Amino acid sequence: MELLTGEYRNTLDEKGRILFPTKLRNELFNESEKNVLIVTQSFDRCLWLYTLDEWKNLSSKIMESASPFNKQNRLVLRSLIAPAQEVELDKAGRISIPQSLREYANLSKDCVILGINKYMELWDAETYSKYLDDSEDELREAAEGLSNISF
């Protein structure tokens, strides 16, 4: 799999479907396999989307390190693992976002899909814009922490 990158803007239809960007479809799927993604709650009121392989890798690591006897671990399991659902691309290249996840991320008509290396994020466009505005100072500070990276 190539690295998933890019910012894509699409609209969510009245049935909760969104056209999945062609570039990402081409990177993720070939003709012979089932075109399936896992979608789950994330942080910052957006959704995470993973390929089956990436989701199996991440979820197995979380499950191996989490104990149901630890309060913080249970919170992560309930917030990230439990709401995860499989979605399949239809013939038109759309995915249908489950109602509970649309509500969690406050998805309305205008949405943003971000490719972030091995996973993707799905945001309500207005929420994403507000997030960027609100975190601008924090971003500068975080970037300063990367000062040991050189070109």
Side-chain angles (χ1 to χ4, degrees), residues 40-48 104-105 121-124:
T40 193
Q41 293 178 178
S42 174
F43 309 102
D44 305 314
R45 288 289 175 184
C46 72
L47 301 177
W48 279 343
Y104 169 81
E121 291 183 345
L122 176 59
W123 288 81
D124 173 77

Side-chain angles (χ1 to χ4, degrees), residues 53-110:
D53 288 342
E54 288 296 332
W55 177 251
K56 287 176 185 176
N57 184 34
L58 175 64
S59 63
S60 66
K61 286 178 182 177
I62 292 170
M63 295 305 295
E64 288 170 10
S65 65
S67 168
F69 300 106
N70 178 288
K71 184 178 181 178
Q72 289 179 327
N73 289 180
R74 287 191 310 271
L75 180 60
V76 170
L77 295 174
R78 290 174 184 147
S79 299
L80 184 63
I81 302 294
Q85 296 187 49
E86 189 175 288
V87 296
E88 189 170 356
L89 269 76
D90 66 14
K91 291 178 183 177
R94 300 171 299 194
I95 55 174
S96 183
I97 306 300
Q99 179 68 29
S100 60
L101 294 173
R102 288 195 316 260
E103 289 172 4
Y104 169 81
N106 300 315
L107 297 181
S108 58
K109 186 175 180 178
D110 296 321

Side-chain angles (χ1 to χ4, degrees), residues 4-9 21 24 46-47 49 112-117 119-123 128 131-132:
L4 304 171
T5 59
E7 179 177 313
Y8 308 89
R9 295 185 178 263
L24 295 178
C46 72
L47 301 177
L49 296 104
V112 177
I113 298 173
L114 302 173
I116 307 178
N117 195 342
Y119 73 99
M120 295 144 289
E121 291 183 345
L122 176 59
W123 288 81
Y128 182 61
Y131 169 80
L132 290 176

